Amino acid sequence: MENKYQDFYELPKAWQGFLQACQSCKECELFQTRNQVVVFRGNLEANLMLIGEGPGAEEDRLGKPFVGRSGKLLDSLLTAQEFTENDYHICNIVKCRPPGNRAPTPDEANACKKLLAAQFSLVKPKIIVLIGATAYKYFTNTNSPISQVRGQWIKKGDYHIMPTFHPAYLLRNPKKRIDMWQDFVMVREKMEDLDLIREKSKPFQMDEWA
Ligand code: URA
């Protein structure tokens, strides 16, 4: 557990119930092949929620989202922009690994929706970043290419949604790093404008992104 909670039994009861529901979930076939249910890392009460596609092999092994190659690239971007794990809550559209790193099916995403909705109402984020085409498709129920919708705010109720590329795509297309960097500049600036995060200590410098 991160932050002020040292272990499961210190968590608010609602979180305990939610995590138990995740661990025992058998709503889709993915429970048969998972090693671990991957729920989140970061802050339970973050203003910023980052939502990816689903756990890969490393995430399934370690029980945390975005801890493989993609996660390391994402973390280095977040660090370069002075986000710490205390500033965000990171999770996925599905909590169990789709075998062979395929994208989750509509049935799997749908089966996991109740848990993501519960997580959403516990965290109560103000800003949501949809990481990659799959997260965008399932979260918004629309099918536009991510290259067309990234970098533009979507306002829904009292929260703001920013779709962006998936870091796995950047690993294959390094020239697109500038786009994802700029999307996160917009996120950071929006959070600062809304007083959801402290001000950055120095100007944005993309060469700090390892
Ligand atoms: N890719 C994702 O979309 N989520 C993860 O947790 C890891 C890789």
Side-chain angles (χ1 to χ4, degrees), residues 60-87:
D60 180 58
R61 190 172 71 82
L62 297 171
K64 288 186 173 194
F66 283 98
V67 289
R69 271 186 83 209
S70 292
K72 293 202 165 54
L73 184 58
L74 179 63
D75 274 359
S76 63
L77 163 57
L78 291 164
T79 303
Q81 293 198 1
E82 297 184 18
F83 289 99
T84 71
E85 250 200 3
N86 201 40
D87 297 319

PDB file of all heavy atoms in Angstrom, residues 60-87:
ATOM      1  N   ASP A  60       1.405  -8.815 -14.449  1.00  0.00           N
ATOM      2  CA  ASP A  60       0.762 -10.032 -13.947  1.00  0.00           C
ATOM      3  C   ASP A  60       1.678 -10.736 -12.929  1.00  0.00           C
ATOM      4  O   ASP A  60       1.224 -11.315 -11.949  1.00  0.00           O
ATOM      5  CB  ASP A  60       0.486 -10.942 -15.150  1.00  0.00           C
ATOM      6  CG  ASP A  60      -0.183 -12.251 -14.779  1.00  0.00           C
ATOM      7  OD1 ASP A  60      -1.274 -12.192 -14.176  1.00  0.00           O
ATOM      8  OD2 ASP A  60       0.379 -13.318 -15.095  1.00  0.00           O
ATOM      9  N   ARG A  61       2.968 -10.620 -13.144  1.00  0.00           N
ATOM     10  CA  ARG A  61       3.922 -11.261 -12.239  1.00  0.00           C
ATOM     11  C   ARG A  61       4.053 -10.459 -10.939  1.00  0.00           C
ATOM     12  O   ARG A  61       4.100 -11.023  -9.852  1.00  0.00           O
ATOM     13  CB  ARG A  61       5.290 -11.330 -12.937  1.00  0.00           C
ATOM     14  CG  ARG A  61       6.331 -12.177 -12.248  1.00  0.00           C
ATOM     15  CD  ARG A  61       7.567 -12.320 -13.131  1.00  0.00           C
ATOM     16  NE  ARG A  61       8.344 -11.093 -13.236  1.00  0.00           N
ATOM     17  CZ  ARG A  61       9.226 -10.689 -12.329  1.00  0.00           C
ATOM     18  NH1 ARG A  61       9.443 -11.408 -11.257  1.00  0.00           N
ATOM     19  NH2 ARG A  61       9.883  -9.557 -12.506  1.00  0.00           N
ATOM     20  N   LEU A  62       4.070  -9.133 -11.054  1.00  0.00           N
ATOM     21  CA  LEU A  62       4.345  -8.288  -9.878  1.00  0.00           C
ATOM     22  C   LEU A  62       3.087  -7.741  -9.207  1.00  0.00           C
ATOM     23  O   LEU A  62       3.140  -7.205  -8.110  1.00  0.00           O
ATOM     24  CB  LEU A  62       5.271  -7.127 -10.273  1.00  0.00           C
ATOM     25  CG  LEU A  62       6.656  -7.564 -10.765  1.00  0.00           C
ATOM     26  CD1 LEU A  62       7.433  -6.394 -11.340  1.00  0.00           C
ATOM     27  CD2 LEU A  62       7.446  -8.211  -9.622  1.00  0.00           C
ATOM     28  N   GLY A  63       1.952  -7.826  -9.903  1.00  0.00           N
ATOM     29  CA  GLY A  63       0.690  -7.384  -9.289  1.00  0.00           C
ATOM     30  C   GLY A  63       0.487  -5.880  -9.299  1.00  0.00           C
ATOM     31  O   GLY A  63      -0.359  -5.350  -8.557  1.00  0.00           O
ATOM     32  N   LYS A  64       1.254  -5.154 -10.134  1.00  0.00           N
ATOM     33  CA  LYS A  64       1.095  -3.687 -10.225  1.00  0.00           C
ATOM     34  C   LYS A  64       1.060  -3.270 -11.680  1.00  0.00           C
ATOM     35  O   LYS A  64       1.769  -3.863 -12.506  1.00  0.00           O
ATOM     36  CB  LYS A  64       2.274  -2.980  -9.546  1.00  0.00           C
ATOM     37  CG  LYS A  64       2.245  -3.094  -8.049  1.00  0.00           C
ATOM     38  CD  LYS A  64       3.331  -2.254  -7.431  1.00  0.00           C
ATOM     39  CE  LYS A  64       3.166  -2.268  -5.915  1.00  0.00           C
ATOM     40  NZ  LYS A  64       3.955  -1.225  -5.272  1.00  0.00           N
ATOM     41  N   PRO A  65       0.290  -2.215 -11.993  1.00  0.00           N
ATOM     42  CA  PRO A  65       0.216  -1.770 -13.384  1.00  0.00           C
ATOM     43  C   PRO A  65       1.461  -0.992 -13.821  1.00  0.00           C
ATOM     44  O   PRO A  65       2.115  -0.344 -13.009  1.00  0.00           O
ATOM     45  CB  PRO A  65      -1.020  -0.848 -13.405  1.00  0.00           C
ATOM     46  CG  PRO A  65      -1.162  -0.380 -12.008  1.00  0.00           C
ATOM     47  CD  PRO A  65      -0.613  -1.450 -11.115  1.00  0.00           C
ATOM     48  N   PHE A  66       1.741  -1.083 -15.097  1.00  0.00           N
ATOM     49  CA  PHE A  66       2.811  -0.289 -15.727  1.00  0.00           C
ATOM     50  C   PHE A  66       4.147  -0.433 -14.991  1.00  0.00           C
ATOM     51  O   PHE A  66       4.731   0.547 -14.557  1.00  0.00           O
ATOM     52  CB  PHE A  66       2.386   1.180 -15.844  1.00  0.00           C
ATOM     53  CG  PHE A  66       1.425   1.420 -16.983  1.00  0.00           C
ATOM     54  CD1 PHE A  66       0.055   1.480 -16.752  1.00  0.00           C
ATOM     55  CD2 PHE A  66       1.875   1.552 -18.290  1.00  0.00           C
ATOM     56  CE1 PHE A  66      -0.851   1.675 -17.805  1.00  0.00           C
ATOM     57  CE2 PHE A  66       0.982   1.755 -19.342  1.00  0.00           C
ATOM     58  CZ  PHE A  66      -0.371   1.814 -19.099  1.00  0.00           C
ATOM     59  N   VAL A  67       4.598  -1.662 -14.890  1.00  0.00           N
ATOM     60  CA  VAL A  67       5.922  -1.892 -14.288  1.00  0.00           C
ATOM     61  C   VAL A  67       6.883  -2.553 -15.276  1.00  0.00           C
ATOM     62  O   VAL A  67       8.020  -2.844 -14.932  1.00  0.00           O
ATOM     63  CB  VAL A  67       5.832  -2.735 -12.989  1.00  0.00           C
ATOM     64  CG1 VAL A  67       5.222  -1.938 -11.857  1.00  0.00           C
ATOM     65  CG2 VAL A  67       5.041  -4.022 -13.217  1.00  0.00           C
ATOM     66  N   GLY A  68       6.432  -2.775 -16.518  1.00  0.00           N
ATOM     67  CA  GLY A  68       7.310  -3.343 -17.546  1.00  0.00           C
ATOM     68  C   GLY A  68       7.969  -2.222 -18.359  1.00  0.00           C
ATOM     69  O   GLY A  68       8.136  -1.102 -17.868  1.00  0.00           O
ATOM     70  N   ARG A  69       8.334  -2.511 -19.597  1.00  0.00           N
ATOM     71  CA  ARG A  69       9.045  -1.516 -20.433  1.00  0.00           C
ATOM     72  C   ARG A  69       8.211  -0.263 -20.662  1.00  0.00           C
ATOM     73  O   ARG A  69       8.701   0.854 -20.568  1.00  0.00           O
ATOM     74  CB  ARG A  69       9.394  -2.132 -21.793  1.00  0.00           C
ATOM     75  CG  ARG A  69      10.726  -2.826 -21.805  1.00  0.00           C
ATOM     76  CD  ARG A  69      11.083  -3.280 -23.209  1.00  0.00           C
ATOM     77  NE  ARG A  69      11.680  -2.221 -24.002  1.00  0.00           N
ATOM     78  CZ  ARG A  69      11.581  -2.128 -25.332  1.00  0.00           C
ATOM     79  NH1 ARG A  69      10.871  -3.009 -26.010  1.00  0.00           N
ATOM     80  NH2 ARG A  69      12.171  -1.149 -25.984  1.00  0.00           N
ATOM     81  N   SER A  70       6.931  -0.462 -20.980  1.00  0.00           N
ATOM     82  CA  SER A  70       6.050   0.695 -21.197  1.00  0.00           C
ATOM     83  C   SER A  70       5.953   1.541 -19.936  1.00  0.00           C
ATOM     84  O   SER A  70       5.968   2.767 -19.982  1.00  0.00           O
ATOM     85  CB  SER A  70       4.631   0.242 -21.558  1.00  0.00           C
ATOM     86  OG  SER A  70       4.617  -0.352 -22.798  1.00  0.00           O
ATOM     87  N   GLY A  71       5.815   0.854 -18.817  1.00  0.00           N
ATOM     88  CA  GLY A  71       5.668   1.545 -17.529  1.00  0.00           C
ATOM     89  C   GLY A  71       6.899   2.373 -17.213  1.00  0.00           C
ATOM     90  O   GLY A  71       6.803   3.499 -16.705  1.00  0.00           O
ATOM     91  N   LYS A  72       8.064   1.825 -17.533  1.00  0.00           N
ATOM     92  CA  LYS A  72       9.309   2.562 -17.234  1.00  0.00           C
ATOM     93  C   LYS A  72       9.372   3.836 -18.079  1.00  0.00           C
ATOM     94  O   LYS A  72       9.782   4.897 -17.603  1.00  0.00           O
ATOM     95  CB  LYS A  72      10.516   1.664 -17.468  1.00  0.00           C
ATOM     96  CG  LYS A  72      10.535   0.532 -16.444  1.00  0.00           C
ATOM     97  CD  LYS A  72      11.902  -0.087 -16.233  1.00  0.00           C
ATOM     98  CE  LYS A  72      11.937  -0.937 -14.978  1.00  0.00           C
ATOM     99  NZ  LYS A  72      10.912  -1.976 -14.905  1.00  0.00           N
ATOM    100  N   LEU A  73       8.934   3.726 -19.340  1.00  0.00           N
ATOM    101  CA  LEU A  73       8.935   4.923 -20.201  1.00  0.00           C
ATOM    102  C   LEU A  73       7.930   5.959 -19.665  1.00  0.00           C
ATOM    103  O   LEU A  73       8.223   7.155 -19.588  1.00  0.00           O
ATOM    104  CB  LEU A  73       8.591   4.521 -21.645  1.00  0.00           C
ATOM    105  CG  LEU A  73       8.642   5.651 -22.668  1.00  0.00           C
ATOM    106  CD1 LEU A  73      10.030   6.304 -22.717  1.00  0.00           C
ATOM    107  CD2 LEU A  73       8.256   5.144 -24.059  1.00  0.00           C
ATOM    108  N   LEU A  74       6.761   5.471 -19.271  1.00  0.00           N
ATOM    109  CA  LEU A  74       5.756   6.381 -18.717  1.00  0.00           C
ATOM    110  C   LEU A  74       6.267   7.027 -17.421  1.00  0.00           C
ATOM    111  O   LEU A  74       6.144   8.245 -17.225  1.00  0.00           O
ATOM    112  CB  LEU A  74       4.460   5.596 -18.457  1.00  0.00           C
ATOM    113  CG  LEU A  74       3.311   6.383 -17.847  1.00  0.00           C
ATOM    114  CD1 LEU A  74       2.849   7.507 -18.775  1.00  0.00           C
ATOM    115  CD2 LEU A  74       2.131   5.453 -17.529  1.00  0.00           C
ATOM    116  N   ASP A  75       6.866   6.219 -16.556  1.00  0.00           N
ATOM    117  CA  ASP A  75       7.380   6.757 -15.286  1.00  0.00           C
ATOM    118  C   ASP A  75       8.436   7.831 -15.524  1.00  0.00           C
ATOM    119  O   ASP A  75       8.468   8.833 -14.813  1.00  0.00           O
ATOM    120  CB  ASP A  75       8.028   5.634 -14.461  1.00  0.00           C
ATOM    121  CG  ASP A  75       7.001   4.889 -13.626  1.00  0.00           C
ATOM    122  OD1 ASP A  75       5.810   5.249 -13.677  1.00  0.00           O
ATOM    123  OD2 ASP A  75       7.390   3.937 -12.926  1.00  0.00           O
ATOM    124  N   SER A  76       9.288   7.609 -16.524  1.00  0.00           N
ATOM    125  CA  SER A  76      10.350   8.598 -16.738  1.00  0.00           C
ATOM    126  C   SER A  76       9.755   9.909 -17.261  1.00  0.00           C
ATOM    127  O   SER A  76      10.249  10.987 -16.945  1.00  0.00           O
ATOM    128  CB  SER A  76      11.461   8.059 -17.640  1.00  0.00           C
ATOM    129  OG  SER A  76      10.959   7.774 -18.917  1.00  0.00           O
ATOM    130  N   LEU A  77       8.684   9.817 -18.030  1.00  0.00           N
ATOM    131  CA  LEU A  77       7.991  11.035 -18.473  1.00  0.00           C
ATOM    132  C   LEU A  77       7.380  11.762 -17.263  1.00  0.00           C
ATOM    133  O   LEU A  77       7.542  12.983 -17.097  1.00  0.00           O
ATOM    134  CB  LEU A  77       6.903  10.667 -19.491  1.00  0.00           C
ATOM    135  CG  LEU A  77       5.813  11.700 -19.787  1.00  0.00           C
ATOM    136  CD1 LEU A  77       6.385  13.017 -20.261  1.00  0.00           C
ATOM    137  CD2 LEU A  77       4.846  11.175 -20.837  1.00  0.00           C
ATOM    138  N   LEU A  78       6.702  10.987 -16.418  1.00  0.00           N
ATOM    139  CA  LEU A  78       6.049  11.601 -15.253  1.00  0.00           C
ATOM    140  C   LEU A  78       7.089  12.254 -14.337  1.00  0.00           C
ATOM    141  O   LEU A  78       6.890  13.372 -13.841  1.00  0.00           O
ATOM    142  CB  LEU A  78       5.242  10.542 -14.501  1.00  0.00           C
ATOM    143  CG  LEU A  78       3.999  10.034 -15.252  1.00  0.00           C
ATOM    144  CD1 LEU A  78       3.483   8.735 -14.649  1.00  0.00           C
ATOM    145  CD2 LEU A  78       2.892  11.084 -15.259  1.00  0.00           C
ATOM    146  N   THR A  79       8.196  11.569 -14.143  1.00  0.00           N
ATOM    147  CA  THR A  79       9.251  12.119 -13.271  1.00  0.00           C
ATOM    148  C   THR A  79       9.831  13.394 -13.872  1.00  0.00           C
ATOM    149  O   THR A  79      10.048  14.384 -13.161  1.00  0.00           O
ATOM    150  CB  THR A  79      10.368  11.063 -13.078  1.00  0.00           C
ATOM    151  OG1 THR A  79       9.760   9.890 -12.540  1.00  0.00           O
ATOM    152  CG2 THR A  79      11.451  11.554 -12.133  1.00  0.00           C
ATOM    153  N   ALA A  80      10.047  13.385 -15.203  1.00  0.00           N
ATOM    154  CA  ALA A  80      10.613  14.574 -15.858  1.00  0.00           C
ATOM    155  C   ALA A  80       9.678  15.777 -15.716  1.00  0.00           C
ATOM    156  O   ALA A  80      10.120  16.917 -15.759  1.00  0.00           O
ATOM    157  CB  ALA A  80      10.892  14.284 -17.326  1.00  0.00           C
ATOM    158  N   GLN A  81       8.385  15.506 -15.539  1.00  0.00           N
ATOM    159  CA  GLN A  81       7.435  16.618 -15.365  1.00  0.00           C
ATOM    160  C   GLN A  81       7.074  16.839 -13.890  1.00  0.00           C
ATOM    161  O   GLN A  81       6.082  17.498 -13.571  1.00  0.00           O
ATOM    162  CB  GLN A  81       6.184  16.363 -16.196  1.00  0.00           C
ATOM    163  CG  GLN A  81       6.472  16.409 -17.691  1.00  0.00           C
ATOM    164  CD  GLN A  81       5.245  16.601 -18.541  1.00  0.00           C
ATOM    165  OE1 GLN A  81       4.132  16.730 -18.033  1.00  0.00           O
ATOM    166  NE2 GLN A  81       5.430  16.621 -19.850  1.00  0.00           N
ATOM    167  N   GLU A  82       7.881  16.248 -13.005  1.00  0.00           N
ATOM    168  CA  GLU A  82       7.737  16.458 -11.555  1.00  0.00           C
ATOM    169  C   GLU A  82       6.440  15.909 -10.969  1.00  0.00           C
ATOM    170  O   GLU A  82       5.938  16.426  -9.959  1.00  0.00           O
ATOM    171  CB  GLU A  82       7.917  17.940 -11.183  1.00  0.00           C
ATOM    172  CG  GLU A  82       9.305  18.464 -11.494  1.00  0.00           C
ATOM    173  CD  GLU A  82       9.497  19.900 -11.031  1.00  0.00           C
ATOM    174  OE1 GLU A  82       8.723  20.392 -10.182  1.00  0.00           O
ATOM    175  OE2 GLU A  82      10.441  20.538 -11.540  1.00  0.00           O
ATOM    176  N   PHE A  83       5.874  14.912 -11.611  1.00  0.00           N
ATOM    177  CA  PHE A  83       4.787  14.172 -10.949  1.00  0.00           C
ATOM    178  C   PHE A  83       5.445  13.119 -10.056  1.00  0.00           C
ATOM    179  O   PHE A  83       6.437  12.501 -10.459  1.00  0.00           O
ATOM    180  CB  PHE A  83       3.916  13.423 -11.965  1.00  0.00           C
ATOM    181  CG  PHE A  83       3.043  14.290 -12.823  1.00  0.00           C
ATOM    182  CD1 PHE A  83       3.421  14.622 -14.121  1.00  0.00           C
ATOM    183  CD2 PHE A  83       1.809  14.749 -12.358  1.00  0.00           C
ATOM    184  CE1 PHE A  83       2.593  15.393 -14.941  1.00  0.00           C
ATOM    185  CE2 PHE A  83       0.981  15.527 -13.173  1.00  0.00           C
ATOM    186  CZ  PHE A  83       1.376  15.843 -14.460  1.00  0.00           C
ATOM    187  N   THR A  84       4.890  12.908  -8.875  1.00  0.00           N
ATOM    188  CA  THR A  84       5.348  11.799  -8.036  1.00  0.00           C
ATOM    189  C   THR A  84       4.193  10.801  -7.919  1.00  0.00           C
ATOM    190  O   THR A  84       3.049  11.118  -8.272  1.00  0.00           O
ATOM    191  CB  THR A  84       5.713  12.270  -6.614  1.00  0.00           C
ATOM    192  OG1 THR A  84       4.488  12.615  -5.935  1.00  0.00           O
ATOM    193  CG2 THR A  84       6.640  13.478  -6.642  1.00  0.00           C
ATOM    194  N   GLU A  85       4.481   9.608  -7.384  1.00  0.00           N
ATOM    195  CA  GLU A  85       3.419   8.596  -7.251  1.00  0.00           C
ATOM    196  C   GLU A  85       2.288   9.080  -6.357  1.00  0.00           C
ATOM    197  O   GLU A  85       1.188   8.563  -6.397  1.00  0.00           O
ATOM    198  CB  GLU A  85       3.991   7.277  -6.718  1.00  0.00           C
ATOM    199  CG  GLU A  85       3.975   6.219  -7.790  1.00  0.00           C
ATOM    200  CD  GLU A  85       4.049   4.773  -7.324  1.00  0.00           C
ATOM    201  OE1 GLU A  85       4.057   4.498  -6.110  1.00  0.00           O
ATOM    202  OE2 GLU A  85       4.087   3.915  -8.212  1.00  0.00           O
ATOM    203  N   ASN A  86       2.574  10.079  -5.561  1.00  0.00           N
ATOM    204  CA  ASN A  86       1.533  10.627  -4.705  1.00  0.00           C
ATOM    205  C   ASN A  86       0.526  11.466  -5.490  1.00  0.00           C
ATOM    206  O   ASN A  86      -0.577  11.729  -5.031  1.00  0.00           O
ATOM    207  CB  ASN A  86       2.194  11.472  -3.614  1.00  0.00           C
ATOM    208  CG  ASN A  86       1.290  11.635  -2.434  1.00  0.00           C
ATOM    209  OD1 ASN A  86       0.608  10.701  -2.040  1.00  0.00           O
ATOM    210  ND2 ASN A  86       1.257  12.839  -1.887  1.00  0.00           N
ATOM    211  N   ASP A  87       0.910  11.879  -6.702  1.00  0.00           N
ATOM    212  CA  ASP A  87       0.049  12.752  -7.515  1.00  0.00           C
ATOM    213  C   ASP A  87      -0.945  11.982  -8.367  1.00  0.00           C
ATOM    214  O   ASP A  87      -1.844  12.577  -8.948  1.00  0.00           O
ATOM    215  CB  ASP A  87       0.902  13.615  -8.467  1.00  0.00           C
ATOM    216  CG  ASP A  87       1.817  14.564  -7.718  1.00  0.00           C
ATOM    217  OD1 ASP A  87       1.363  15.144  -6.714  1.00  0.00           O
ATOM    218  OD2 ASP A  87       2.981  14.718  -8.140  1.00  0.00           O
TER     219      ASP A  87
END
